[in-house]
Amino acid sequence: DVLIVAIDQSNLERLGRWPWPRYRHARLLRNICASKPAVVGINIAFSEPGDDASADDLLAEAIAECGNVVLPLVIEQTQSGGQLLETPPIAPLAFAAAGLGRIGVHLDEDGIARSVDLREGIGIAAWPLLAEDMLRVARRLPKKYDHAPAASDTTDLGHRLVRETRRRFEFVGAPGSFPRLSYSEVLDGKISPLVLAGKIVLVGVTAVGMGDALPTPVSALADPMPGVEL
């Protein structure tokens, strides 16, 4: 039920250098949503206004009209050892979205990604994962799923990073195990609506060298897994 709309190297060669204008993402999103997917998660941080305010408005309109788009929030440091910040999408996009979920995985001491915290936040573990919020919007959370609040979920711990409920990944397989569609082909309307209908759709970068790939037990250092797939 999961499809990745991949921004791969061939897309970059065809559509130009990153970042792309946001009116392009708006057009892509309209094409996806016309196929009536269960949910769309965009694994691209829109934390700052774009160069063209009208393009930001177009993307916000496309997100609102779709009605089931989940956007990412990033928890990051301003510099090495600096202040921690929770960085959501810009206000018009965040307001239009059906949900916000956290992206980013903490690596083990050997540099391998094996697990993730279901809740994380500054002072309070408030933010779910992007994947969880997508399942919530799609109404596909497992029936037995229950994130029981721990003490720190209701206690303000200042500017500390608070994490709750660590879980190990159950990997489906090596990178590429989930089906991928080309961003440019979806953008150009070359994909049948039946392919996307009812699916959990993720949009994100898979191109090597874009900084969004992580070594895992099923991929290691030689062939890291794109963050959107992880």
Side-chain angles (χ1 to χ4, degrees), residues 50-67:
D51 295 333
D52 182 353
S54 64
D56 287 345
D57 292 341
L58 285 173
L59 182 54
E61 289 172 8
I63 291 169
E65 288 174 12
C66 193

Side-chain angles (χ1 to χ4, degrees), residues 65-89:
E65 288 174 12
C66 193
N68 60 352
V69 177
V70 180
L71 295 179
L73 173 138
V74 182
I75 299 175
E76 56 190 350
Q77 287 185 323
T78 53
Q79 56 188 1
S80 179
Q83 181 184 3
L84 283 167
L85 296 174
E86 293 177 349
T87 308

Side-chain angles (χ1 to χ4, degrees), residues 128-190:
L129 291 167
L130 179 77
E132 180 186 329
D133 219 39
M134 288 178 66
L135 290 174
R136 177 189 64 80
V137 170
R139 299 181 181 180
R140 295 194 189 183
L141 273 177
K143 291 182 180 179
K144 294 183 179 180
Y145 179 80
D146 179 26
H147 171 70
S152 58
D153 281 324
T154 55
T155 303
D156 189 340
L157 297 179
H159 297 290
R160 282 179 49 193
L161 181 63
V162 182
R163 301 171 182 165
E164 297 291 348
T165 319
R166 179 156 296 188
R167 292 287 184 267
R168 295 181 73 85
F169 289 118
E170 293 184 18
F171 291 98
V172 173
S177 294
F178 286 99
R180 298 181 185 181
L181 302 174
S182 164
Y183 182 109
S184 60
E185 289 189 358
V186 177
L187 184 70
D188 293 342
K190 295 180 178 178

